[in-house]
Amino acid sequence: MKIELDLNRRPSAAPRSLAGLSLTALEEEIKALDVPAKLARMRAKQLRRWLHHFGSTEFSDMTDISKDLRALLSQTYHLDRPEISEHKVSVDGTQKWLIRFQPGVEGESVFIPAVSKTGALCVSSQVGCTLNCKFCHTGTQKLVRNLTAQEIVSQVLIARDGLGEWPATVHGRALSNIVFMGMGEPLYNLDNVAEAIDTMSDGEGMSIGRRRITVSTAGVADKIPELGARTGAMLAISLHAVRDDLRNEIVPINKKYDLQNLFEAIRAYPDLSNARRVTFEYVMLKGVNDSAAEARDLVKLLKGVPAKINLIPFNPWPDSPYECSDWDTIEKFAEIVKRAGYPSPIRTPRGRDIFAACGQLRSESIRKSAAERRREALGTAN
Ligand code: SAH
């Protein structure tokens, strides 16, 4: 059957990028081009493979798609990634991209190579954050907006472009894991995060298995079951305190979901086992949460949960109100947790020199009022 395509058709809106769209979204776009519904799914699958497996940036690569359809696609869409405003490489190999999703909306992703040729890309789910955790630099930046699923996935495209890791399944690729530990609270943007995880884990596309994707939350307990059911991703919890009074102060969302609430949700997370542990992040703040008594209370709190505890030396940022615990104190804390049978690695800070370490991410983007956005669009901003 020959498809009749109108090559003179003019795009109705400014061209948009197809790169990073989910399979369903690609299918919708193709249907909008009047490709018969029966064929649209197949075309979407072909596109998905070119975009997310091969990392194509040109429609002309797509030799299994007819020339007519390619011409129509290229007049309606492009395959660009969002613009990179800044790219920095640390002395330790960590890389940070500041990405301009749209004018005034910038967020960061960080690639952290491991010793063993693997590595994790730390992606942002929001620009800014609503949570105000006291030790976190992102917490000093108000929420600008949620990122779309496409924008979340585009962070992986940008990193793979930079690392030269196309096609996605080359053996021994450095970008092997994804952690949602960049800016923002992923469980406050769960629809987009779940859609992005579907795209990242698609075996015909980016092929990053769901078990290699970790979503970290400060403790939005009532969304944890949904995260498990919809994504099958690994769970990480930013714990940082073992008593409600202290946690209320340093992770204020604890006032809404206290430790008991949080641990009920954690214990019910699907498929937990020693091979599939919950990661707990615990930032070491001098004289605040780092005593031996707190390490013992942590062990009690974790009872029965297959867990791994990442002890994160506090990373300072300008005017931050805390200091990092002494090394001896961190080691003592780690020893107590380890003796109770939980792996408790002390994370070496990575990328501190380029401000890419945990809790140091912050962009200059601010949320603009509708009036400000209108003035800017009219070119009358002052
Ligand atoms: N909102 C989610 C995702 C952000 S993850 C969450 O809280 O889990 C970012 C991780 O870095 C969190 O564990 C956070 O608590 C930790 N962090 C924040 N500021 C830090 C700092 N200054 N030093 C070390 N770790 C920090």
Side-chain angles (χ1 to χ4, degrees):
M1 185 176 67
K2 171 135 178 48
I3 328 167
E4 289 300 323
L5 294 170
D6 176 6
L7 295 180
N8 295 320
R9 169 195 177 111
R10 299 249 52 94
S12 52
R16 60 175 297 207
S17 183
L18 293 178
L21 287 183
S22 66
L23 183 60
T24 317
L26 286 172
E27 189 179 350
E28 289 309 311
E29 296 294 338
I30 291 179
K31 278 188 195 152
L33 295 178
D34 298 336
V35 171
K38 262 200 265 164
L39 286 177
R41 182 84 181 166
M42 188 176 100
R43 298 288 173 241
K45 286 183 174 172
Q46 288 170 313
L47 264 175
R48 174 250 331 249
R49 191 142 175 89
W50 288 109
L51 298 181
H52 299 157
H53 176 77
F54 290 111
S56 296
T57 52
E58 307 284 345
F59 287 106
S60 57
D61 292 346
M62 305 180 178
T63 43
D64 56 356
I65 298 179
S66 75
K67 275 205 176 132
D68 285 357
L69 182 55
R70 272 188 266 157
L72 181 59
L73 285 167
S74 62
Q75 107 191 7
T76 319
Y77 303 103
H78 58 80
L79 302 177
D80 297 349
R81 291 75 166 102
E83 192 185 318
I84 301 170
S85 316
E86 196 178 286
H87 173 220
K88 286 190 172 168
V89 183
S90 157
V91 287
D92 67 22
T94 301
Q95 304 194 36
K96 179 171 93 170
W97 291 269
L98 177 65
I99 301 172
R100 193 162 175 263
F101 295 104
Q102 85 184 59
V105 181
E106 296 193 327
E108 293 174 312
S109 347
V110 177
F111 175 68
I112 309 147
V115 190
S116 55
K117 262 214 107 189
T118 58
L121 183 70
C122 177
V123 296
S124 295
S125 54
Q126 299 180 314
V127 171
C129 193
T130 53
L131 293 177
N132 284 312
C133 301
K134 288 293 166 292
F135 44 82
C136 178
H137 201 200
T138 311
T140 64
Q141 180 183 8
K142 287 212 175 98
L143 179 70
V144 177
R145 70 163 169 81
N146 281 341
L147 292 177
T148 63
Q150 182 179 27
E151 288 166 337
I152 296 171
V153 172
S154 72
Q155 298 173 56
V156 185
L157 295 173
I158 285 174
R160 282 238 163 105
D161 291 347
L163 295 165
E165 294 204 314
W166 299 113
T169 49
V170 286
H171 186 65
R173 65 215 154 126
L175 200 173
S176 55
N177 293 59
I178 301 284
V179 292
F180 280 81
M181 294 187 186
M183 298 163 81
E185 170 49 51
L187 298 197
Y188 280 161
N189 187 18
L190 187 51
D191 287 342
N192 289 321
V193 165
E195 187 178 330
I197 292 176
D198 286 345
T199 304
M200 292 169 178
S201 61
D202 183 344
E204 298 291 312
M206 294 183 150
S207 298
I208 302 167
R210 290 175 188 273
R211 308 269 152 119
R212 291 179 178 273
I213 300 179
T214 300
V215 176
S216 179
T217 176
V220 186
D222 68 356
K223 291 277 180 188
I224 289 177
E226 198 180 328
L227 175 74
R230 287 178 70 179
T231 71
M234 304 290 283
L235 176 65
I237 303 286
S238 294
L239 190 63
H240 310 316
V242 291
R243 294 188 322 271
D244 281 318
D245 60 338
L246 179 60
R247 200 161 188 272
N248 285 346
E249 190 187 316
I250 65 179
V251 185
I253 198 191
N254 195 73
K255 291 185 215 154
K256 189 157 180 205
Y257 307 102
D258 64 13
L259 286 167
Q260 193 185 334
N261 247 258
L262 180 59
F263 272 83
E264 273 165 23
I266 295 169
R267 284 173 203 280
Y269 201 72
D271 302 329
L272 292 184
S273 67
N274 280 341
R276 242 171 99 69
R277 295 169 190 254
V278 179
T279 301
F280 288 87
E281 295 141 275
Y282 197 96
V283 63
M284 300 302 294
L285 304 171
K286 188 173 190 163
V288 176
N289 64 354
D290 60 354
S291 67
E294 280 159 313
R296 287 190 290 271
D297 286 345
L298 173 59
V299 169
K300 283 188 207 142
L301 196 59
L302 294 176
K303 201 166 182 347
V305 181
K308 165 186 169 187
I309 297 88
N310 283 339
L311 298 174
I312 316 175
F314 170 68
N315 292 306
W317 34 273
D319 300 324
S320 50
Y322 298 106
E323 279 176 68
C324 182
S325 308
D326 300 326
W327 198 253
D328 277 2
T329 314
I330 303 182
E331 282 191 332
K332 258 189 224 140
F333 197 102
E335 192 50 38
I336 295 171
V337 182
K338 204 173 104 199
R339 252 189 280 126
Y342 297 102
S344 53
I346 303 170
R347 306 311 299 218
T348 325
R350 305 291 301 269
R352 271 191 183 173
D353 55 332
I354 56 165
F355 259 79
C358 299
Q360 292 186 314
L361 304 184
R362 185 183 193 281
S363 69
E364 296 306 318
S365 305
I366 46 167
R367 182 186 211 146
K368 303 229 165 103
S369 68
E372 278 171 310
R373 281 198 301 269
R374 258 193 317 274
R375 272 203 301 280
E376 270 188 3
L378 294 170
T380 52
N382 46 24

